[in-house]
Amino acid sequence: MQKNISHLGMLVCLGSMLTGCGIYTKYQQPEVQTDGLFGTLPEAVSNYISI
């Protein structure tokens, strides 16, 4: 039981050290260019005969 408490204490200290010094930061989504990713769209079909 004493071993579990000491492991829990070390885990709490390690977690507070990681968040306190800025190693662990929030995720920032990168800018991604998606223009023209799938090419150009086909022209609209005016009637069913041209299909």
Side-chain angles (χ1 to χ4, degrees):
M1 186 69 182
Q2 183 66 24
K3 192 174 187 180
N4 289 339
I5 293 173
S6 65
H7 282 141
L8 181 63
M10 288 191 318
L11 185 64
V12 168
C13 290
L14 180 64
S16 65
M17 286 172 37
L18 286 177
T19 58
C21 63
I23 291 175
Y24 178 75
T25 58
K26 291 183 179 180
Y27 175 72
Q28 295 179 354
Q29 187 174 8
E31 294 291 327
V32 178
Q33 297 292 339
T34 58
D35 297 336
L37 186 63
F38 296 106
T40 58
L41 295 175
E43 295 180 14
V45 177
S46 61
N47 56 26
Y48 292 108
I49 297 171
S50 65
I51 296 178

